[in-house]
Amino acid sequence: MSQTRIRELIVTPIAFGDPPLLNSNGVHEPLALRIILQLVLEDGTVGLGESPGGTARLERLQAAAKVVVGMDVFDATAVAAAIDGALLPTVPSSHERGWTTSAVEVACLDAQGKLLGRPVSDLLGGRVRDAVPFAAYLFYKWAEHPALDGRPAITDDWGEALDPAGIVEQARLMQERYGFRSFKLKGGVFPPDEEIAAIRALAEAFPGQPLRLDPNVAWTVETSTEVARELDGVLEYLEDPTKGIEGMAEVAKDSPMPLATNMCVIAWEHLKPAVEQDAIQVLLTDHHYWGGLRRTRELAAVCEAFGLALSMHSNSHLGISLAAMTHVAAAIPNLDHSCDTHYPWNSADDVIVPGVLELRDGEVRVPTGPGLGVELDHDKLERLHRRYVDSGMRGRDDTGYMRRIQPEYELRLPRW
């Protein structure tokens, strides 16, 4: 029917505040980038999508906007194929094309749900849980973004976390504000002994609550194996301690705990070698780069077939992505671990109208309204787009920002 045809795809880049969170590549800049999609149908229905930002992804979404016009929103497979075909000459990587098709697919599903009066979780087969568990995402963190290039220092109410005591206090705040019942520490910042001490401090402060550590490939195979042995019985899993499927497989041979990844298995062609080498035991899904919500549901079935447990990856995101993550997680029977989310760090700058998404008791209840169940705040979207334009920032560079503050900083992976 003509009213289900796509009239236009509005692509809006935005910038929002991000704290000085440390990781193996450096530190987060004061602004993070995302891209908001509005898929407008002939009858005026609007489906929402969200993507990580940056110039390359913006250009690909703008290219997608040209090819989807006139297509039926219910023919999401053909929409994805048209986008994939348009990008193929200049973007040979299926993984990179997946970032674009997934963002548009979410917008299609949101629009479909609005037309049908059903939540996206129903379009994915129905929810098997009414609330999705999330883990507190802990970071080593400066107290403020320091004054730089005439810009004043930027503070926040989370405070400094540069040692075990600071990490425990951050975790207490996370639990007090959001009720988290599991905790993930972003490591790869300090020598392994210091991060082991932080995990042990968390285990003492939150006895019996699941813990995980993610150093983002900052360690050698040997160091990874030593840390895994040292934290045997303390961690539920160790995430991406070393680089690549082969490196992870070497660590897995002697690791007493499961290994997880969102770095070495990020495309369909990676699954076979990872399974053959028993390199990972937990896969962190992410609909943003696995091709969308339906492909994530399919991925979960493949993981079930090969005995891989599931969690969910996160990067700095806002509420449209959180809603999409929650719907697909609700529709996956074999979700074995709580999901990651950056939302507490970034929610103050959200582009959706508040009141639907709420982190409480470490969970987000699945929205039951049509589509994703969230509404766009157009005034906020305009303000964040203006911030993007005025900032001149067009890509994320944790290492470059760190070097502006600490010129001697050297990026080395593995570092230990």
Side-chain angles (χ1 to χ4, degrees):
M1 297 174 66
S2 61
Q3 60 263 39
T4 66
R5 299 286 175 183
I6 298 170
R7 187 170 72 207
E8 65 176 326
L9 177 62
I10 303 171
V11 180
T12 308
I14 62 171
F16 58 92
D18 208 13
L21 308 177
L22 297 161
N23 57 65
S24 65
N25 285 320
V27 62
H28 288 204
E29 298 179 75
L31 293 176
L33 302 180
R34 298 295 275 190
I35 301 166
I36 304 301
L37 303 184
Q38 299 173 75
L39 188 81
V40 185
L41 305 187
E42 289 292 350
D43 73 345
T45 299
V46 178
L48 301 177
E50 178 184 333
S51 167
T55 298
R57 292 187 181 128
L58 177 61
E59 291 175 347
R60 291 164 192 169
L61 283 165
Q62 290 169 335
K66 297 176 181 177
V67 301
V68 302
V69 172
M71 301 190 73
D72 193 307
V73 73
F74 282 96
D75 202 355
T77 302
V79 169
I83 295 170
D84 202 55
L87 296 180
L88 184 59
T90 56
V91 187
S93 166
S94 62
H95 169 69
E96 287 299 324
R97 297 195 304 275
W99 291 96
T100 306
T101 56
S102 64
V104 178
E105 186 232 33
V106 170
C108 286
L109 289 171
D110 186 35
Q112 291 175 21
K114 288 172 178 174
L115 291 171
L116 297 171
R118 304 297 292 267
V120 164
S121 57
D122 283 1
L123 306 183
L124 299 173
R127 65 183 186 271
V128 296
R129 55 185 63 84
D130 293 327
V132 173
F134 287 88
Y137 209 151
L138 310 178
F139 282 83
Y140 290 105
K141 177 185 174 296
W142 293 336
E144 62 184 21
H145 284 287
L148 189 68
D149 298 334
R151 183 203 70 208
I154 304 171
T155 60
D156 56 64
D157 64 354
W158 288 100
E160 183 179 88
L162 296 174
D163 57 21
I167 291 295
V168 168
E169 178 57 24
Q170 187 183 104
R172 290 192 194 280
L173 287 174
M174 284 277 187
Q175 188 171 74
E176 178 183 299
R177 296 174 183 180
Y178 303 104
F180 288 113
R181 289 169 285 185
S182 58
F183 301 90
K184 169 177 172 172
L185 174 61
K186 179 66 77 178
V189 176
F190 294 111
D193 286 350
E194 295 183 35
E195 297 184 354
I196 289 171
I199 290 292
R200 292 197 177 280
L202 287 169
E204 182 177 349
F206 303 95
Q209 299 193 23
L211 304 175
R212 58 190 76 156
L213 174 60
D214 173 18
N216 278 142
V217 304
W219 303 337
T220 63
V221 167
E222 293 74 20
T223 299
S224 302
T225 303
E226 291 173 8
V227 174
R229 289 171 176 165
E230 184 70 22
L231 291 176
D232 183 19
V234 182
L235 294 179
E236 61 174 332
Y237 61 71
L238 179 59
E239 180 183 339
D240 285 311
T242 201
K243 183 179 180 180
I245 291 172
E246 292 76 13
M248 292 283 281
E250 284 298 311
V251 178
K253 289 178 183 178
D254 298 310
S255 173
M257 68 188 66
L259 300 186
T261 189
N262 76 278
M263 296 183 72
C264 70
V265 181
I266 56 173
W268 293 90
E269 59 265 29
H270 300 155
L271 281 166
K272 182 179 179 181
V275 170
E276 288 177 339
Q277 298 177 48
D278 194 25
I280 63 166
Q281 293 73 49
V282 182
L283 180 63
L284 277 70
T285 68
D286 188 325
H287 74 271
H288 296 92
Y289 56 73
W290 279 97
L293 303 186
R294 295 174 304 156
R295 294 289 273 171
T296 298
R297 183 69 176 79
E298 294 165 1
L299 177 64
V302 172
C303 289
E304 185 176 21
F306 288 103
L308 297 178
L310 285 177
S311 182
M312 187 176 288
H313 169 252
S314 163
N315 210 325
S316 301
H317 65 85
L318 298 176
I320 297 171
S321 279
L322 179 61
M325 292 164 66
T326 301
H327 278 285
V328 71
I332 294 175
N334 52 315
L335 185 72
D336 304 283
H337 301 276
S338 57
C339 303
D340 294 349
T341 180
H342 284 66
Y343 198 60
W345 297 112
N346 306 122
S347 59
D349 265 346
D350 207 352
V351 294
I352 63 170
V353 175
V356 174
L357 297 177
E358 184 178 4
L359 269 165
R360 179 180 294 181
D361 297 327
E363 298 178 331
V364 175
R365 294 197 66 80
V366 184
T368 56
L372 293 173
V374 298
E375 179 184 352
L376 187 63
D377 183 331
H378 290 273
D379 291 339
K380 191 65 172 288
L381 178 67
E382 176 57 31
R383 289 198 298 272
L384 295 184
H385 175 60
R386 179 52 50 190
R387 186 185 295 181
Y388 167 84
V389 172
D390 293 344
S391 72
M393 183 179 176
R394 298 297 180 265
R396 176 173 170 172
D397 185 4
D398 292 2
T399 304
Y401 181 54
M402 175 67 91
R403 286 174 176 159
R404 293 176 67 196
I405 298 162
Q406 299 178 5
E408 73 283 2
Y409 180 78
E410 180 184 358
L411 177 61
R412 288 185 292 110
L413 295 175
R415 188 179 296 273
W416 292 284

